[in-house]
Amino acid sequence: MFIIGVGGLISSGKTYASKKIFNALPESEVFLFDADKEVAELYNKSKQLKDFILLNYPEFINQDVIDKVAISNRAFVDDDLLESLESIIHPLLREQIDNIIKNSAQKYLILDIALLYAGNLHKLCDLKLYIEAEEDLLLKRYLERENSSKEKFLRIINRQKLLENKKFVDVVINTSDEDGA
């Protein structure tokens, strides 16, 4: 399996680039792993994650459903919460990726993951792409999302900048001129 890692800062156009690559390959031969979607599903499916939140942050559970927006808002101002969530979520994502690599019949795997390099997932990749754009454009794109704010964007991007590492990158793609990114 040929693995393509697509990393970059928030709102840089990783998903846009990943979908472009996905659509360029034969559909039956490619698997697209969208980490953002997988994390959203983990909040609904992972007993370990739900138990942690229930035990430590019960205010984020309403009628047995985790309020992902509220916990996300809190996590980016509470380093302990963020690190605890990451210590649960990252191994679960890695397990999913390892299962895809082990069990999938597809020839290609695209990993759409913001912190591809910080999580050492770049070591799995045959081709590593870094998607970037001007910071003012990243902010503009981010603010188009539901439940977004400039303050949250700055907290997220500053943390991601600390963890990014372009020295492992094979190709840098700038999406500043892309309308759909």
Side-chain angles (χ1 to χ4, degrees), residues 79-128:
D79 288 339
D80 291 335
L81 172 58
L82 184 59
E83 289 173 15
S84 294
L85 291 172
E86 288 176 344
S87 74
I88 296 168
I89 292 170
H90 288 180
L92 293 171
L93 289 177
R94 178 59 185 253
E95 182 179 330
Q96 289 179 337
I97 292 167
D98 289 343
N99 285 335
I100 293 166
I101 292 169
K102 181 179 176 184
N103 300 314
S104 178
Q106 278 93 354
K107 291 181 182 178
Y108 305 97
L109 171 60
I110 302 167
L111 299 177
D112 176 354
I113 302 179
L115 299 177
L116 181 68
Y117 313 100
N120 284 325
L121 292 171
H122 68 280
K123 293 179 180 179
L124 297 173
C125 301
D126 300 291
L127 177 64
K128 296 162 286 295

Side-chain angles (χ1 to χ4, degrees), residues 24-83:
L25 296 168
E27 188 175 341
S28 64
E29 296 181 8
V30 62
F31 188 98
L32 174 57
F33 184 87
D34 181 333
D36 289 342
K37 285 184 181 178
E38 295 300 325
V39 168
E41 286 186 29
L42 283 174
Y43 277 99
N44 297 322
K45 293 180 181 177
S46 170
K47 182 175 178 358
Q48 180 185 6
L49 184 56
K50 192 170 196 174
D51 287 350
F52 167 78
I53 294 169
L54 188 58
L55 180 65
N56 297 287
Y57 301 92
E59 66 272 22
F60 295 124
I61 297 184
N62 185 13
Q63 296 180 340
D64 207 38
V65 176
I66 297 171
D67 184 342
K68 294 181 285 270
V69 173
I71 203 161
S72 170
N73 288 337
R74 172 85 172 270
F76 283 99
V77 295
D78 181 339
D79 288 339
D80 291 335
L81 172 58
L82 184 59
E83 289 173 15

Side-chain angles (χ1 to χ4, degrees), residues 164-177:
E164 74 178 339
N165 191 338
K166 291 189 201 177
K167 73 180 180 181
F168 300 112
V169 174
D170 296 309
V171 179
V172 175
I173 299 172
N174 190 303
T175 62
S176 294
D177 294 330

Side-chain angles (χ1 to χ4, degrees), residues 135-148:
E135 192 164 325
D136 59 331
L137 183 56
L138 298 178
L139 173 61
K140 179 180 179 273
R141 290 175 182 168
Y142 179 76
L143 291 176
E144 292 171 358
R145 298 179 182 183
E146 193 173 334
N147 300 308
S148 62

